[in-house]
Amino acid sequence: MLEVRDLFGNVEPLDGWGELYRKRKVNGEKTIRFLLFPNEKNLHGFSMVQTESQITFDGEPYIIKSVSNKTMGTKYYKDVTAIHKFYVDMINKQQPKIHNGSITFLNVLNFIFEDMPYSYSVVGNFTANAFENFGNENRLALLQKVLERYKAEIEIDGSIVYFKKRVGDDTDFQFRYKHNVLNMENLDDSMNLATVIRGNGAEGITAYYRSPNADIFGEIDADPVDDERFTSEATLLEEMKSRLQDAPIITVTINFADLRASGYPYTVPNEGDRIFVIYEPMDDFQLETRILEIDETFKENPNPNGNPVAINTEVVLSNHKKSFAGTTFDQIKKSLSKVINEDGVIRFDFLDEAVKQATEAIKSAQTELEFVNGIIAREKTNPNELVVVNSKGIGISTDGGQTFRTALTAKGGVADVINSGTLNANLVKVTGAVNIVRPDNAVAVLNGVMQGDFLIDRATPFYMDPEVTVSNNFFMTRSFTSVIADALYFKHAGRYLTLVVWARTLQSGCRVDLVNMDSSETVKVNATLGFPYNNVDDSTFQTITIDLGRPTFRNIGVYLKFNSYAAGVPTYMRYTIKTISG
């Protein structure tokens, strides 16, 4: 269901939009577009659909930036384009202050989000960087510069912005051209291929890097890095590696239903998800690619209270090392240029295609069941997947009904996933005594015995630094430096560690850290939450989820730490719901 909120706070549901298109990119635009036709159910909401009104779709707010009122025969409709509210809020708010010199990642985020209705969470370590005349711009432009400088990426969840080295999930899925997917576009591009790079930093610091791919493609020089902001060889080398495009750029545009049918493990795509491409022309040379763009089409749910139904999804995969930070500002500004011209008038060619799509959607109906030799239930996003029910039995096919490798008939049942001696499935492996192997190859059950528990416990007696006290059911400190509030212990029996944290301060904001007790621990627990100024009990909380990697079933200890951004100012923190899952 769509909802519209006008500038006066009035909220109405929206019906009559037929199809909606959403575009998502890594660190880039997040926009929706739909055609809205008036009907009896949207009499009030239709007139509220105007520029700067807010549309809620899939639980997220979008601000309308373009409304074109048009006619098609005797029908009147609106063509609507909206941008995610986060980007609108950030581009509409200036930061008049100026910063010069070195600044930590957390402090620069505090600078950007000052007086904004968003908090942030940092997952991973980011070294300090130096800026000159940083500020006196809108917050989105500043955010773009920070993402570029610190090589960070973002995810937005409600009012919380997550900063990570890379968003998305790692998979073991292999994409092979001419094997499991055929309809590829922009197969490869070696224009910027280079395998050797040199760099110069401050005070005579130099670095050299030769990619292992030089053994395949030869030594090809990249433009050198000359930047006095880098004061150590390690940071200079990291920058050089990030700029080096040491493999041909592979770009693939594909229908997600095809990708999923080829074995992709997730039911929905996420920005930044990583897969592998086997590059056949180079003797099965393997490249890591990512989902960089997702284009989705939704239709209205016939159930008035139901969620919109996704009917088509296309993803763009690529392995290029272009910074995604620049797309945040540029793509949001440029997204409307695809719809309207410089005078603000909707482009005819764009409208013509939109009208065509809307007309087809109105005239056609989606068939879910076919009555041919029984009942055929066909998957709409992948017609090769179907179930047949008739008087002879039930059959499941993945090749459009050519074969039924899984079936149940009066004479018995067959299933290609069952073999003598060993049961192999996507999530289960049974060999002799029961062993259960997870998708990431961690052994969850060995010889029928669970390998771990999901308990998180506190130290006994409770552990906290002297600067920390307990006040009104909160940990409290006045310390400007990070201090330990509690010590937690758990077995690494699940992939994800989750905590819900409350924090507030009477001035300037505060931060909460979760870190390993043992800095040499290979299972890294390193996350930071930033909280803005708030003096109301229980009003500011964040959920932090950390991917601990494949379970090792080892015992792990972590410290929960916090501090104020202003020395001597009381800061309060507590946590609930601590779980190990996945």
Side-chain angles (χ1 to χ4, degrees):
M1 176 184 294
L2 266 67
E3 287 185 345
V4 58
R5 177 189 294 270
D6 65 17
L7 296 177
F8 302 100
N10 302 308
V11 179
E12 290 287 343
L14 279 184
D15 192 8
W17 48 270
E19 289 189 354
L20 179 146
Y21 309 94
R22 178 172 67 182
K23 181 184 292 290
R24 297 184 276 147
K25 288 187 175 183
V26 173
N27 275 13
E29 64 189 87
K30 197 167 190 178
T31 59
I32 60 173
R33 180 185 156 269
F34 58 94
L35 303 183
L36 183 67
F37 293 81
N39 60 34
E40 294 181 357
K41 295 182 180 180
N42 66 22
L43 289 178
H44 299 289
F46 188 86
S47 62
M48 294 165 57
V49 177
Q50 301 177 5
T51 54
E52 296 306 307
S53 291
Q54 178 177 302
I55 297 291
T56 299
F57 172 70
D58 197 22
E60 295 186 297
Y62 294 79
I63 304 300
I64 297 175
K65 288 296 180 180
S66 171
V67 178
S68 181
N69 299 290
K70 293 292 180 179
T71 59
M72 181 177 62
T74 60
K75 290 186 177 293
Y76 162 60
Y77 68 96
K78 295 184 177 184
D79 191 320
V80 183
T81 300
I83 296 175
H84 196 284
K85 186 175 184 293
F86 169 78
Y87 299 105
V88 176
D89 289 343
M90 296 294 283
I91 203 172
N92 285 348
K93 186 72 171 178
Q94 294 283 319
Q95 170 54 282
K97 299 179 182 178
I98 298 288
H99 173 84
N100 286 289
S102 180
I103 187 171
T104 66
F105 191 52
L106 291 175
N107 285 338
V108 79
L109 294 183
N110 206 36
F111 181 81
I112 291 175
F113 287 99
E114 184 180 23
D115 300 325
M116 295 296 293
Y118 298 95
S119 55
Y120 56 84
S121 173
V122 178
V123 180
N125 293 316
F126 296 88
T127 57
N129 269 272
F131 289 88
E132 292 184 7
N133 297 319
F134 181 74
N136 197 27
E137 286 187 281
N138 70 72
R139 308 302 176 100
L140 189 59
L142 296 177
L143 180 61
Q144 173 190 345
K145 293 178 179 179
V146 165
L147 296 177
E148 174 76 28
R149 184 69 61 84
Y150 290 89
K151 299 294 186 295
E153 296 178 2
I154 62 172
E155 289 178 340
I156 303 166
D157 185 5
S159 63
I160 304 175
V161 185
Y162 291 89
F163 290 83
K164 301 179 180 180
K165 290 289 188 180
R166 293 200 304 182
V167 301
D169 295 319
D170 293 310
T171 75
D172 294 326
F173 177 73
Q174 291 187 348
F175 176 89
R176 299 185 69 126
Y177 176 51
K178 293 184 178 180
H179 284 257
N180 54 358
V181 180
L182 295 178
N183 56 330
M184 298 177 66
E185 299 178 9
N186 304 324
L187 175 59
D188 64 87
D189 176 6
S190 62
M191 292 292 292
N192 297 314
L193 180 66
T195 56
V196 174
I197 189 169
R198 294 169 174 80
N200 300 291
E203 299 178 356
I205 293 175
T206 62
Y208 170 82
Y209 176 70
R210 181 185 187 275
S211 166
N213 291 348
D215 295 335
I216 301 173
F217 302 108
E219 292 193 357
I220 305 172
D221 288 331
D223 291 337
V225 175
D226 290 302
D227 196 329
E228 294 188 353
R229 290 183 294 113
F230 296 101
T231 57
S232 71
E233 182 180 354
T235 57
L236 176 60
L237 191 61
E238 181 181 356
E239 174 70 13
M240 291 161 52
K241 290 181 179 180
S242 71
R243 294 191 190 185
L244 192 66
Q245 184 66 50
D246 59 351
I249 295 176
I250 298 271
T251 302
V252 182
T253 302
I254 184 173
N255 188 288
F256 185 69
D258 295 336
L259 189 64
R260 200 170 57 199
S262 302
Y264 190 74
Y266 297 149
T267 56
V268 295
N270 291 304
E271 302 97 312
D273 282 358
R274 289 167 286 281
I275 66 177
F276 293 95
V277 169
I278 305 300
Y279 188 59
E280 307 289 358
M282 294 299 300
D283 298 325
D284 292 346
F285 180 61
Q286 185 168 280
L287 300 172
E288 182 186 90
T289 64
R290 305 179 67 192
I291 295 179
L292 302 186
E293 180 178 328
I294 303 170
D295 296 313
E296 301 160 293
T297 303
F298 298 84
K299 73 172 184 178
E300 286 187 87
N301 194 318
N303 180 355
N305 297 318
N307 294 323
V309 179
I311 60 175
N312 187 65
T313 302
E314 287 192 347
V315 296
V316 177
L317 312 173
S318 184
N319 68 315
H320 69 69
K321 291 188 178 181
K322 173 186 174 183
S323 168
F324 305 118
T327 63
T328 303
F329 183 69
D330 297 335
Q331 293 296 340
I332 291 297
K333 288 189 67 176
K334 294 177 181 177
S335 61
L336 293 183
S337 67
K338 302 173 185 177
V339 184
I340 58 178
N341 62 24
E342 294 180 356
D343 298 323
V345 179
I346 193 165
R347 295 181 184 276
F348 175 79
D349 55 345
F350 189 88
L351 175 62
D352 185 62
E353 179 63 24
V355 171
K356 179 181 177 181
Q357 294 175 352
T359 304
E360 291 300 319
I362 291 172
K363 291 181 177 180
S364 65
Q366 296 290 334
T367 300
E368 297 184 8
L369 297 179
E370 304 169 20
F371 298 90
V372 181
N373 191 28
I375 301 174
I376 300 176
R378 191 183 300 270
E379 170 62 40
K380 286 180 289 185
T381 58
N382 184 359
N384 286 327
E385 297 181 357
L386 56 85
V387 177
V388 175
V389 181
N390 58 31
S391 60
K392 292 296 185 180
I394 301 173
I396 301 174
S397 175
T398 59
D399 56 11
Q402 299 298 313
T403 60
F404 294 90
R405 300 176 65 87
T406 302
L408 181 63
T409 70
K411 295 183 179 180
V414 294
D416 66 344
V417 295
I418 299 178
N419 303 299
S420 176
T422 300
L423 172 64
N424 287 311
N426 187 40
L427 298 176
V428 180
K429 181 178 181 180
V430 179
T431 306
V434 177
N435 295 334
I436 298 180
V437 181
R438 299 158 44 102
D440 55 8
N441 292 323
V443 179
V445 176
L446 180 62
N447 292 328
V449 179
M450 291 289 294
Q451 291 301 287
D453 55 58
F454 294 86
L455 174 67
I456 299 180
D457 202 3
R458 300 176 65 187
T460 304
F462 300 144
Y463 183 92
M464 65 179 68
D465 279 340
E467 295 88 352
V468 180
T469 61
V470 176
S471 174
N472 295 326
N473 298 318
F474 279 85
F475 296 107
M476 191 277 287
T477 188
R478 298 175 183 270
S479 175
F480 178 70
T481 59
S482 184
V483 290
I484 298 172
D486 212 344
L488 304 176
Y489 300 87
F490 61 91
K491 178 172 283 189
H492 185 203
R495 181 146 193 158
Y496 300 100
L497 168 65
T498 301
L499 276 83
V500 176
V501 179
W502 276 260
R504 63 185 180 88
T505 185
L506 302 182
Q507 180 182 328
S508 300
C510 59
R511 62 179 275 181
V512 177
D513 295 287
L514 198 64
V515 298
N516 292 99
M517 292 182 184
D518 182 358
S519 60
S520 65
E521 172 60 62
T522 57
V523 179
K524 296 299 182 184
V525 180
N526 190 347
T528 297
L529 301 176
F531 289 85
Y533 157 74
N534 193 322
N535 61 358
V536 180
D537 286 354
D538 291 351
S539 64
T540 304
F541 70 91
Q542 297 184 38
T543 300
I544 181 171
T545 299
I546 301 174
D547 187 347
L548 303 172
R550 187 175 69 184
T552 61
F553 305 103
R554 301 208 330 259
N555 292 320
I556 307 294
V558 297
Y559 288 130
L560 186 63
K561 308 173 72 173
F562 72 127
N563 65 280
S564 171
Y565 287 144
V569 175
T571 295
Y572 301 88
M573 183 274 293
R574 73 178 178 190
Y575 65 94
T576 62
I577 310 179
K578 48 188 189 297
T579 61
I580 298 292
S581 61

